[in-house]
């Protein structure tokens, strides 16, 4: 059994990465924590769960799937430790199952947008986007997926590895080759770390440049996002925090020493305005970005933002 601190560390150092995987790993860590707490005192149990919640929440700031998953797990009311424990286990299992079903459904819906012979460009590594490629390929469509390398952490290698294992033809390109390559592309499909109330997309840095190049070339830009990637706090005017990662991911410590006055900036995500997004494919259907408000308010519910249950 992995301890909660180990899971938190793995999320921080990106051994566990990608918004969906982060959410499922956090839900599972909360479940294991609930199973391992030895006390008969409900207050003590709730306090320990709140601490676990905070530890996981503070790992990475951008993917809204993380707070949404944690809040879904912590939505319980209980009169005893056993009741609380069982509720947390049930909530975590339900979240993980719903999350796995969501990507499958996104695959089915998204595959309808892909035609035989299409070349699809993707950025970073998104399991939601990959489910679409896989579903289309399994339907017998002849597709080619163009994957960007995705500096500095090369998540594009993970994408081409997925594609290779699934037998899907793939082409790896440099991030800087996106505009040059766009003329050969029929469709762009990327994942999401967060969708704001106005339908803008927060995803791996470089996504907004891909969207601009797609817009210029009149190529459709599609985002694949489970509904728990929509950000309730943006309904209340809050901004999504863009994670700034360590400069050593961009420039080696030796070179940083060589140029001591150089500032290295390493934002991990960027914001793609909704006007560049043709459609968001969720498990409840393909929607225009303008419908983000409805997803947050009616599907996720206002209460997601409120302290619920044991929090
Ligand atoms: C990952 C990333 C992915 C989204 C969606 O960034 O930007 O596109 O998280 O992924 P990082 P998924 O590698 O920094 O975590 O569809 O798998 O949830």
């Amino acid at each position: 059994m992995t301890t909660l601190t180990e899971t938190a560390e793995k999320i921080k150092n990106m051994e566990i990465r990608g918004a969906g995987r982060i959410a499922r790993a956090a839900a599972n860590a909360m479940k294991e924590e609930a199973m391992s707490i030895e006390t008969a005192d409900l207050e003590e149990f709730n306090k320990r769960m709140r601490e676990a919640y905070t530890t996981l929440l503070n790992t990475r700031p951008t993917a809204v799937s993380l707070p949404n998953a944690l809040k879904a797990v912590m939505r319980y009311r209980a009169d005893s430790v056993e009741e609380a424990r069982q509720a947390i286990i049930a909530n975590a299992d339900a979240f993980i199952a719903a999350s796995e079903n969501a990507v499958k459904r996104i695959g089915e819906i998204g595959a309808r947008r892909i035609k035989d012979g299409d070349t699809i460009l993707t950025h970073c590594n998104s399991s939601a986007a990959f489910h679409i490629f896989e579903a289309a390929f399994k339907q017998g469509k002849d597709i080619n997926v163009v994957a960007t390398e995705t500096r500095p952490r090369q998540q594009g290698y993970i994408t081409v590895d997925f594609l290779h294992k699934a037998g899907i033809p793939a082409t790896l390109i440099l991030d800087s080759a996106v505009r040059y390559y766009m003329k050969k592309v029929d469709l762009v499909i990327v994942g999401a770390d967060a969708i704001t109330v106005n339908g803008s997309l927060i995803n791996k840095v470089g996504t907004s440049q891909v969207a601009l190049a797609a817009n210029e070339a009149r190529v459709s830009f599609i985002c694949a996002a489970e509904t728990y990637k929509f950000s309730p706090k943006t309904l209340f005017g809050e901004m999504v925090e863009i994670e700034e990662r360590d400069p050593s991911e961009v420039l080696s410590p030796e070179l940083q020493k060589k140029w001591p006055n150089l500032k290295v900036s390493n934002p991990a995500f960027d914001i793609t305005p909704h006007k560049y997004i043709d459609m968001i494919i969720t498990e409840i259907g393909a929607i225009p970005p303008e419908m983000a408000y409805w997803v947050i308010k009616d599907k996720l519910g206002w209460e997601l933002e409120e302290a619920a249950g044991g929090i």
Side-chain angles (χ1 to χ4, degrees):
M1 199 163 92
T2 324
T3 66
L4 187 115
T5 344
E6 280 166 357
T7 303
E9 199 41 50
K10 283 185 182 170
I11 295 175
K12 239 185 226 164
N13 68 24
M14 290 175 61
E15 216 175 300
I16 299 173
R17 50 144 302 281
R21 279 186 218 97
I22 290 173
R24 287 189 291 276
N28 192 52
M30 292 293 277
K31 170 182 162 174
E32 292 188 344
E33 184 72 2
M35 282 158 58
S36 71
I37 297 175
E38 288 174 21
T39 179
D41 179 354
L42 183 58
E43 246 175 63
E44 166 70 13
F45 178 88
N46 286 340
K47 182 173 154 280
R48 296 266 303 273
M49 287 310 301
R50 277 196 298 272
E51 283 164 6
Y53 172 96
T54 309
T55 304
L56 289 165
L57 189 68
N58 291 337
T59 50
R60 289 189 79 188
T62 303
V64 73
S65 54
L66 177 61
N68 281 353
L70 292 171
K71 281 173 183 153
V73 172
M74 288 294 272
R75 199 172 300 127
Y76 67 88
R77 307 239 178 267
D79 295 322
S80 71
V81 167
E82 243 0 86
E83 238 181 79
R85 202 191 310 275
Q86 291 314 320
I88 289 170
I89 294 170
N91 286 349
D93 286 344
F95 179 85
I96 293 166
S99 159
E100 284 165 353
N101 284 333
V103 276
K104 278 192 205 126
R105 188 77 191 117
I106 287 171
E108 288 162 13
I109 297 171
R112 297 197 183 111
R113 303 295 308 183
I114 295 180
K115 296 189 300 297
D116 192 36
D118 270 356
T119 295
I120 310 128
L121 186 137
T122 192
H123 183 55
C124 194
N125 171 255
S126 154
S127 48
F130 177 75
H131 272 78
I132 298 180
F133 310 145
E134 197 184 31
F137 186 69
K138 280 189 178 157
Q139 288 167 0
K141 289 173 187 162
D142 173 23
I143 59 169
N144 176 35
V145 178
V146 178
T148 55
E149 182 190 13
T150 317
R151 276 273 292 157
R153 297 291 297 249
Q154 277 114 359
Q155 288 92 331
Y157 293 2
I158 308 174
T159 297
V160 294
D161 189 53
F162 276 23
L163 293 163
H164 167 75
K165 285 182 178 138
I168 304 172
T171 308
L172 183 71
I173 62 166
L174 291 175
D175 300 329
S176 43
V178 163
R179 185 162 176 264
Y180 170 79
Y181 223 85
M182 197 54 84
K183 50 183 172 294
K184 299 178 187 163
V185 171
D186 299 293
L187 198 65
V188 172
I189 305 183
V190 296
D193 279 86
I195 309 271
T196 65
V197 69
N198 71 349
S200 293
L201 161 68
I202 316 308
N203 193 47
K204 180 53 56 195
V205 69
T207 302
S208 66
Q209 285 180 180
V210 174
L212 272 180
N215 184 263
E216 181 197 40
R218 295 175 184 266
V219 169
S220 284
F221 182 97
I222 292 179
C223 168
E226 302 90 313
T227 49
Y228 64 82
K229 308 262 180 79
F230 286 67
S231 170
K233 72 176 186 181
T234 60
L235 193 58
F236 301 89
E238 271 189 61
M239 311 282 274
V240 175
E241 185 184 337
I242 302 291
E243 178 181 14
E244 181 72 29
R245 292 191 63 86
D246 201 90
S248 63
E249 290 185 346
V250 178
L251 196 68
S252 69
E254 296 71 48
L255 285 176
Q256 283 186 58
K257 264 189 218 127
K258 186 175 166 192
W259 302 310
N261 296 329
L262 178 72
K263 182 176 172 254
V264 178
S265 176
N266 184 16
F269 301 96
D270 68 13
I271 304 154
T272 302
H274 60 87
K275 65 174 180 181
Y276 296 113
I277 304 167
D278 290 286
M279 161 186 309
I280 303 175
I281 297 181
T282 75
E283 73 277 17
I284 53 169
I287 61 166
E290 289 75 14
M291 268 177 77
Y293 169 80
W294 175 83
V295 173
I296 293 171
K297 193 174 164 295
D298 288 359
K299 165 81 177 124
L300 295 179
W302 298 78
E303 77 277 9
L304 259 183
E305 192 47 32
E306 293 161 7
I311 304 173

